[in-house]
mmCIF file of all heavy atoms in Angstrom:
data_model
loop_
_atom_site.group_PDB
_atom_site.id
_atom_site.type_symbol
_atom_site.label_atom_id
_atom_site.label_comp_id
_atom_site.label_asym_id
_atom_site.label_seq_id
_atom_site.Cartn_x
_atom_site.Cartn_y
_atom_site.Cartn_z
ATOM 1 N N SER A 10 109.014 -26.377 -6.440
ATOM 2 C CA SER A 10 109.221 -27.237 -7.611
ATOM 3 C C SER A 10 107.936 -27.394 -8.409
ATOM 4 O O SER A 10 107.953 -27.445 -9.643
ATOM 5 C CB SER A 10 109.728 -28.612 -7.168
ATOM 6 O OG SER A 10 110.971 -28.513 -6.502
ATOM 7 N N LEU A 21 103.997 -25.098 -22.727
ATOM 8 C CA LEU A 21 103.663 -26.137 -23.703
ATOM 9 C C LEU A 21 102.164 -26.153 -23.994
ATOM 10 O O LEU A 21 101.739 -26.420 -25.122
ATOM 11 C CB LEU A 21 104.113 -27.501 -23.180
ATOM 12 C CG LEU A 21 105.627 -27.679 -23.029
ATOM 13 C CD1 LEU A 21 105.946 -28.986 -22.294
ATOM 14 C CD2 LEU A 21 106.308 -27.675 -24.396
ATOM 15 N N SER A 39 94.786 -35.176 -19.023
ATOM 16 C CA SER A 39 94.320 -35.930 -17.864
ATOM 17 C C SER A 39 94.548 -37.435 -18.062
ATOM 18 O O SER A 39 94.939 -38.137 -17.128
ATOM 19 C CB SER A 39 92.833 -35.659 -17.619
ATOM 20 O OG SER A 39 92.615 -34.308 -17.277
ATOM 21 N N GLY A 76 87.821 -29.449 -9.623
ATOM 22 C CA GLY A 76 89.246 -29.125 -9.675
ATOM 23 C C GLY A 76 89.963 -29.601 -10.923
ATOM 24 O O GLY A 76 91.014 -29.055 -11.282
ATOM 25 N N ILE A 84 91.333 -23.071 -17.243
ATOM 26 C CA ILE A 84 92.708 -22.578 -17.348
ATOM 27 C C ILE A 84 93.160 -22.569 -18.809
ATOM 28 O O ILE A 84 93.759 -21.595 -19.294
ATOM 29 C CB ILE A 84 93.662 -23.455 -16.516
ATOM 30 C CG1 ILE A 84 93.458 -23.188 -15.016
ATOM 31 C CG2 ILE A 84 95.119 -23.193 -16.898
ATOM 32 C CD1 ILE A 84 93.925 -21.830 -14.549
ATOM 33 N N ARG A 90 93.064 -16.973 -24.458
ATOM 34 C CA ARG A 90 92.635 -15.585 -24.584
ATOM 35 C C ARG A 90 93.704 -14.585 -24.162
ATOM 36 O O ARG A 90 93.783 -13.478 -24.705
ATOM 37 C CB ARG A 90 91.374 -15.357 -23.739
ATOM 38 C CG ARG A 90 90.121 -16.008 -24.317
ATOM 39 C CD ARG A 90 88.977 -15.987 -23.314
ATOM 40 N NE ARG A 90 87.721 -16.423 -23.903
ATOM 41 C CZ ARG A 90 87.390 -17.697 -24.098
ATOM 42 N NH1 ARG A 90 88.238 -18.660 -23.732
ATOM 43 N NH2 ARG A 90 86.225 -18.010 -24.645
ATOM 44 N N VAL A 106 93.013 -16.743 -2.361
ATOM 45 C CA VAL A 106 91.908 -17.705 -2.341
ATOM 46 C C VAL A 106 92.273 -18.916 -1.491
ATOM 47 O O VAL A 106 91.490 -19.375 -0.648
ATOM 48 C CB VAL A 106 91.533 -18.148 -3.776
ATOM 49 C CG1 VAL A 106 90.671 -19.408 -3.747
ATOM 50 C CG2 VAL A 106 90.782 -17.035 -4.487
ATOM 51 N N PHE A 115 89.796 -24.809 7.722
ATOM 52 C CA PHE A 115 90.645 -25.417 8.753
ATOM 53 C C PHE A 115 91.084 -24.439 9.837
ATOM 54 O O PHE A 115 91.774 -24.826 10.780
ATOM 55 C CB PHE A 115 91.902 -26.020 8.104
ATOM 56 C CG PHE A 115 91.598 -26.998 7.012
ATOM 57 C CD1 PHE A 115 91.814 -26.672 5.685
ATOM 58 C CD2 PHE A 115 91.090 -28.260 7.300
ATOM 59 C CE1 PHE A 115 91.534 -27.567 4.661
ATOM 60 C CE2 PHE A 115 90.804 -29.158 6.299
ATOM 61 C CZ PHE A 115 91.020 -28.816 4.977
ATOM 62 N N GLY A 127 103.352 -12.688 1.235
ATOM 63 C CA GLY A 127 102.247 -12.962 0.325
ATOM 64 C C GLY A 127 101.716 -11.692 -0.319
ATOM 65 O O GLY A 127 101.367 -11.676 -1.503
ATOM 66 N N LYS A 218 98.641 -36.641 -33.846
ATOM 67 C CA LYS A 218 99.968 -37.127 -33.457
ATOM 68 C C LYS A 218 101.053 -36.085 -33.700
ATOM 69 O O LYS A 218 102.119 -36.132 -33.069
ATOM 70 C CB LYS A 218 100.291 -38.417 -34.211
ATOM 71 C CG LYS A 218 99.379 -39.582 -33.850
ATOM 72 C CD LYS A 218 99.776 -40.844 -34.597
ATOM 73 C CE LYS A 218 98.849 -42.011 -34.237
ATOM 74 N NZ LYS A 218 99.212 -43.254 -34.941
ATOM 75 N N ALA A 228 101.599 -32.775 -20.465
ATOM 76 C CA ALA A 228 100.869 -33.598 -19.505
ATOM 77 C C ALA A 228 101.789 -34.163 -18.432
ATOM 78 O O ALA A 228 101.400 -34.284 -17.262
ATOM 79 C CB ALA A 228 100.162 -34.735 -20.233
ATOM 80 N N TYR A 267 108.929 -15.220 -22.299
ATOM 81 C CA TYR A 267 109.815 -14.269 -22.982
ATOM 82 C C TYR A 267 110.815 -14.997 -23.881
ATOM 83 O O TYR A 267 111.032 -14.611 -25.040
ATOM 84 C CB TYR A 267 110.553 -13.413 -21.955
ATOM 85 C CG TYR A 267 111.635 -12.535 -22.547
ATOM 86 C CD1 TYR A 267 111.302 -11.353 -23.222
ATOM 87 C CD2 TYR A 267 112.978 -12.892 -22.444
ATOM 88 C CE1 TYR A 267 112.287 -10.550 -23.772
ATOM 89 C CE2 TYR A 267 113.964 -12.090 -22.990
ATOM 90 C CZ TYR A 267 113.624 -10.924 -23.653
ATOM 91 O OH TYR A 267 114.606 -10.141 -24.201
ATOM 92 N N GLY A 288 108.861 -11.289 -2.225
ATOM 93 C CA GLY A 288 107.846 -11.819 -1.322
ATOM 94 C C GLY A 288 108.066 -13.282 -1.008
ATOM 95 O O GLY A 288 107.954 -13.711 0.142
#
Side-chain angles (χ1 to χ4, degrees):
S10 299
L21 295 171
S39 296
I84 287 290
R90 288 169 172 80
V106 164
F115 305 107
K218 295 182 180 180
Y267 172 77

